Amino acid sequence: MSVTTAPPVLDERGERLKEALDEAGLASGLTDGTVLAIARGLCDQVAAGVPEEQILDTVRPIATYAASVSGTALSGDDAARRFVETTVGSYC
């Protein structure tokens, strides 16, 4: 019986993003696939000129969850803002 291993979800750029999110206290509890999907969605929204407040509203639940699982004492708004800033700076 052979076991096949799925290829990694994150490429080099995605790995850098996940490391940056981890350093910001926002990666715990998020799978690689989730990080990648969120990053792509955020970058698409930024490129399309979606208003910042709307982008923050989109990511706030995920960022709040990641911050709480990481034990980071950030409010939902601060977690969302840091998540967006980190993603734009590291991935987009």
Side-chain angles (χ1 to χ4, degrees):
M1 175 177 188
S2 68
V3 176
T4 58
T5 304
V9 174
L10 298 179
D11 59 8
E12 200 172 305
R13 186 172 68 152
E15 287 292 338
R16 281 193 309 269
L17 170 61
K18 190 155 185 188
E19 288 173 15
L21 289 171
D22 189 45
E23 289 172 11
L26 296 169
S28 292
L30 301 180
T31 66
D32 291 352
T34 299
V35 168
L36 188 59
I38 296 167
R40 288 178 177 166
L42 285 176
C43 293
D44 288 348
Q45 289 181 18
V46 169
V50 174
E52 180 182 21
E53 201 52 47
Q54 187 175 342
I55 294 171
L56 292 171
D57 286 345
T58 300
V59 77
R60 190 172 289 113
I62 295 161
T64 302
Y65 167 76
S68 70
V69 171
S70 298
T72 305
L74 292 172
S75 70
D77 289 338
D78 290 340
R81 196 167 303 286
R82 186 177 292 180
F83 201 102
V84 170
E85 289 170 357
T86 302
T87 301
V88 170
S90 299
Y91 192 82
C92 297

